[in-house]
């Protein structure tokens, strides 16, 4: 049964990545010159190219420093992290590996989001000249790329790190599964660390550019706000991509990974000998992938007033579907009753926690 759980989670993770790839192709298939004359198309491509080039330059520099920091911090983890109950095993080495792996996937999540954002924003612009429905679809598809890729990478990464660490730390035994989960928690720490720098770095960059554009453009030269003739406007848009998109992507990955790892640390204390219940937190995120796809296919807009209600429908429908689906998975994976801290809890209590969240 354990193999089935891991296989199902892996399959759903790969499904998420496949969906992300499909929507990426769908976004890039929209021509940049759709509905534009030659002059406007050339101008749009120039501005779009400048923003994309600036975003890549910023990320390249940021990731260079982040890589140095990750290696240095991993070395500190190796030295300081150890468990007195297992003197024959140096947990710091394995925690550092998990930390670097989580950081690498967090970087990949942000990079994918930034790439599709720079490709999707200009295409949303030209689509809006056609009709609001087409523009909404392009924008939603762009967001779907990062969403599905992020969750797919997170769940696949956690399955991989679980299987690898389970093999490397096989000598610990099932009674020490909580130590295994503490090692895997380094994966979430890596994702959160990258998110911290990506959000703050991109945010400072875009705010500095925004203020500069206002001061130099509007105050000194009288150039209208968000006019592409002002170089700071291009920098501001670059900052929006690397901060609000790439940074947010890393942030969302960190939140997903660290909350799941934290839940697995708790589940390891209770379900040390029950791998199915142990992997329940990962499966929650993985099951959300097909549920989100189904929800996305059910929602569309025809006029501008439909946009906000459509986004609300995405939230409501996906929440209802997840509540229904996870009821059966909870009954299947979590024991009907179990002990924690001398108290008795039930699988429906776990489901109640999921539902309230």
């Amino acid at each position: 049964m354990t193999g089935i759980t891991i296989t199902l989670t892996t399959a759903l993770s790969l499904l998420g990545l496949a969906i992300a790839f499909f929507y990426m192709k769908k976004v890039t298939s929209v021509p940049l010159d759709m509905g534009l004359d030659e002059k406007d198309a050339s101008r749009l491509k120039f501005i779009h190219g400048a923003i994309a080039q600036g975003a890549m330059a910023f990320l390249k520099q940021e990731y260079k420093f982040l890589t140095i920091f990750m290696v240095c911090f991993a070395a500190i983890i190796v030295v300081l992290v150890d468990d007195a109950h297992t003197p024959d095993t140096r947990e710091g080495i394995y925690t550092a590996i998990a930390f670097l792996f989580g950081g690498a996937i967090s970087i990949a999540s942000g990079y994918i989001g930034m790439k599709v954002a720079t490709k999707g924003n200009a295409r949303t612009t030209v689509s809006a000249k056609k009709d609001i429905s087409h523009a909404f679809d392009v924008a939603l598809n762009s967001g779907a790329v990062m969403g599905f890729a992020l969750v797919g990478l997170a769940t696949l990464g956690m399955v991989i790190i679980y299987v690898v660490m389970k093999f490397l730390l096989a000598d610990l035994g099932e009674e020490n599964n909580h130590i295994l989960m503490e090692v895997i928690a380094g994966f979430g720490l890596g994702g959160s660390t990258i998110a911290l720098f990506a959000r703050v770095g991109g945010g400072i960059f875009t705010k500095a550019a925004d203020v500069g554009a206002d001061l130099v453009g509007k105050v000194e030269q009288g150039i209208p706000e968000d006019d592409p003739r002002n170089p700071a406007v291009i920098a501001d848009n670059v900052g929006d991509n690397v901060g609000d998109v790439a940074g947010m992507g890393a942030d969302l990955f960190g939140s997903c990974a660290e909350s799941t790892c934290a839940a697995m640390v708790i589940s390891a204390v209770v379900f040390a000998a029950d791998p199915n219940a142990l992997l329940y937190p990962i499966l929650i995120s993985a099951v959300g992938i097909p549920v989100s796809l189904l929800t996305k296919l059910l929602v569309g807009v025809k006029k501008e007033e439909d946009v906000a209600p459509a986004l609300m429908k995405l939230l409501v429908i996906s929440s209802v579907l997840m509540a229904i689906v996870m009821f059966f998975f909870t009954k299947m994976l979590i024991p009907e009753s179990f002990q924690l801290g001398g108290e008795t809890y039930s699988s429906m209590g776990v489901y109640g926690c999921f539902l309230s969240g």
Side-chain angles (χ1 to χ4, degrees):
M1 187 66 178
T2 307
I4 295 176
T5 305
I6 293 177
T7 302
L8 177 61
T9 304
T10 304
L12 292 176
S13 302
L14 294 175
L15 173 65
L17 296 177
I19 295 170
F21 180 77
F22 170 77
Y23 281 118
M24 171 66 90
K25 288 294 185 182
K26 199 167 184 179
V27 169
T28 55
S29 67
V30 177
L32 272 174
D33 56 356
M34 183 176 65
L36 300 177
D37 57 36
E38 185 176 348
K39 181 180 178 181
D40 288 341
S42 176
R43 190 162 177 259
L44 178 67
K45 289 178 182 179
F46 173 77
I47 297 172
H48 160 72
I51 295 172
Q53 184 179 1
M56 286 300 299
F58 180 92
L59 283 189
K60 182 179 179 180
Q61 190 71 7
E62 182 180 55
Y63 287 164
K64 181 173 71 174
F65 285 101
L66 280 178
T67 301
I68 297 172
F69 171 81
M70 285 171 60
V71 172
C72 294
F73 197 78
I76 295 174
I77 292 175
V78 171
V79 174
L80 297 182
V81 174
D82 195 16
D83 194 303
H85 296 94
T86 55
D88 296 332
T89 304
R90 189 73 187 182
E91 287 83 4
I93 298 175
Y94 303 105
T95 305
I97 294 173
F99 170 80
L100 292 173
F101 188 47
I105 294 186
S106 184
I107 287 174
S109 299
Y111 179 82
I112 290 171
M114 190 277 300
K115 287 292 288 185
V116 71
T118 54
K119 291 180 180 297
N121 49 29
R123 288 169 170 83
T124 302
T125 301
V126 297
S127 298
K129 291 181 68 66
K130 182 179 181 182
D131 57 64
I132 187 65
S133 175
H134 196 53
F136 178 83
D137 288 340
V138 174
L140 190 61
N141 289 342
S142 299
V145 173
M146 186 174 77
F148 284 109
L150 186 149
V151 178
L153 286 172
T155 51
L156 183 62
M158 283 185 282
V159 168
I160 290 173
I161 203 69
Y162 170 78
V163 172
V164 171
M165 291 303 171
K166 182 80 172 174
F167 173 77
L168 295 176
L169 299 172
D171 294 338
L172 290 177
E174 289 185 346
E175 67 277 4
N176 286 319
N177 260 348
H178 66 283
I179 297 177
L180 172 64
M181 291 306 151
E182 289 171 4
V183 168
I184 293 176
F187 180 85
L189 176 63
S192 298
T193 303
I194 296 301
L196 172 66
F197 286 95
R199 287 287 284 170
V200 173
I204 292 173
F205 180 92
T206 189
K207 286 306 173 187
D210 191 18
V211 173
D214 289 342
L215 290 177
V216 177
K218 290 192 295 185
V219 177
E220 293 190 8
Q221 300 298 324
I223 300 176
E225 188 173 5
D226 296 335
D227 191 307
R229 291 176 298 170
N230 186 345
V233 170
I234 301 298
D236 186 22
N237 280 273
V238 169
D240 288 339
N241 279 289
V242 298
D244 296 343
V245 180
M248 179 63 77
D251 195 15
L252 290 174
F253 171 83
S255 298
C256 176
E258 69 187 7
S259 59
T260 304
C261 289
M264 290 174 67
V265 170
I266 297 173
S267 67
V269 177
V270 186
F271 309 117
D274 188 354
N276 295 310
L278 193 66
L279 298 174
Y280 174 80
I282 301 180
L283 193 64
I284 292 175
S285 298
V287 168
I289 292 173
V291 169
S292 297
L293 176 62
L294 178 60
T295 304
K296 185 183 179 305
L297 296 176
L298 294 175
V299 175
V301 300
K302 292 184 178 179
K303 55 184 184 296
E304 186 176 347
E305 293 75 15
D306 295 337
V307 173
L311 295 176
M312 180 57 69
K313 286 179 184 177
L314 287 171
L315 176 63
V316 173
I317 295 173
S318 61
S319 298
V320 171
L321 290 177
M322 280 295 291
I324 296 171
V325 173
M326 286 311 302
F327 173 82
F328 297 102
F329 275 107
T330 304
K331 294 283 286 185
M332 181 174 66
L333 296 177
I334 304 296
E336 188 172 343
S337 63
F338 57 90
Q339 296 286 325
L340 176 61
E343 299 290 337
T344 301
Y345 298 92
S346 66
S347 58
M348 287 299 95
V350 174
Y351 176 71
C353 292
F354 161 80
L355 198 60
S356 62

